[in-house]
Amino acid sequence: QVQLVQSGAEVKKPGASVKISCKASGYTFTTYYMNWVRQAPGQGLEWMGIINPSSGTTSYAQKFQGRVTMTRDTSTSTVYLDVSSLRSDDTAVYYCARSGDYYNWFDPWGQGTLVTVSS
Amino acid sequence: EIVLTQSPGTLSLSPGERATLSCRASESVSSSYLAWYQQKPGQAPRLLIYGAFIRGTGIPDRFSGSGSGTDFTLTISRLEPEDIAVYYCQQYGSSPRTFGQGTKVEIK
């Protein structure tokens, strides 16, 4: 079955960077796009961007341009989200979510990775 | 950016009742690229509906979607206790993809 398994929780200080992984299994990794979505505590869902695992091409939401980098490793079927210059309002659960095309619904989602930014 | 506004914020109903959730877009959603997700406490969102009215794999038929343009609806025909969750609509036809703020469904 299709599965997205994310790396574990992280605690970071303001100004630091964090790199989260999302390992895909159960399908051909390069034939589906991957999105990243975050959810601050008690808040709604916010789309951060998308990566094409085949080409490595990315598109980021304007809010995150310059501070977020999405990459992939086709040898391990893993995508990565790197967030730099962390602030306290980056504290959130970060989800990866597969989509069948550039403009497509998200299914399935990873289990989420909690990133806590605190001094 | 397309802003999605969901109403009501909270819906309190008894088991077996019909739940009607609304999602209104600030501009037309292209090709009905509108999805609904269910999120239970402590869990990741789960796809319910895509293309405005197509149920995802394994989704019970008590969940249905309708609408087009700027007005969309998710209906739960007979509420079950396991339907307690927050429901989000999402447009995926333009960038950035955006989500509504969510409707919380509670059992009365």
Side-chain angles (χ1 to χ4, degrees), chain A residues 35 37 39 43-47 50 59 61 95 101-107 109-112, chain B residues 33 35 37 39 43-47 50-51 88 90 92-101:
Chain A
N35 300 267
V37 177
Q39 185 172 37
Q43 302 301 307
L45 302 165
E46 183 175 33
W47 181 76
I50 186 171
S59 177
Y95 295 101
D101 207 338
Y102 187 75
Y103 289 112
N104 216 246
W105 58 93
F106 297 176
D107 183 46
W109 296 56
Q111 85 277 17
Chain B
Y33 282 178
Y37 301 89
Q39 187 177 35
Q43 295 186 18
R46 176 176 76 139
L47 175 72
Y50 63 94
Y88 294 95
Q90 179 214 21
Y92 52 88
S94 67
S95 229
R97 288 45 156 182
T98 50
F99 294 87
Q101 82 280 15

Side-chain angles (χ1 to χ4, degrees), chain A residues 17-84:
Chain A
S17 297
V18 68
K19 191 169 187 175
I20 303 165
S21 67
C22 170
K23 183 172 175 60
S25 62
Y27 70 97
T28 303
F29 178 67
T30 52
T31 59
Y32 289 82
Y33 287 72
M34 197 70 77
N35 300 267
W36 287 94
V37 177
R38 76 177 187 180
Q39 185 172 37
Q43 302 301 307
L45 302 165
E46 183 175 33
W47 181 76
M48 301 178 71
I50 186 171
I51 182 169
N52 179 341
S54 179
S55 64
T57 303
T58 56
S59 177
Y60 304 130
Q62 189 168 11
K63 173 177 179 176
F64 300 103
Q65 290 269 8
R67 213 162 61 87
V68 156
T69 305
M70 298 175 189
T71 56
R72 93 295 190 209
D73 181 343
T74 56
S75 69
T76 60
S77 299
T78 302
V79 295
Y80 298 92
L81 172 70
D82 203 313
V83 185
S84 62

Side-chain angles (χ1 to χ4, degrees), chain B residues 42-93:
Chain B
Q43 295 186 18
R46 176 176 76 139
L47 175 72
L48 294 177
I49 301 284
Y50 63 94
F53 62 88
I54 303 169
R55 273 190 299 276
T57 303
I59 302 304
D61 61 7
R62 66 178 181 274
F63 291 94
S64 63
S66 63
S68 64
T70 60
D71 287 292
F72 298 88
T73 301
L74 174 70
T75 301
I76 310 173
S77 59
R78 297 170 308 278
L79 197 65
E80 301 277 349
E82 62 262 30
D83 299 335
I84 300 314
V86 178
Y87 293 82
Y88 294 95
C89 60
Q90 179 214 21
Q91 68 79 23
Y92 52 88

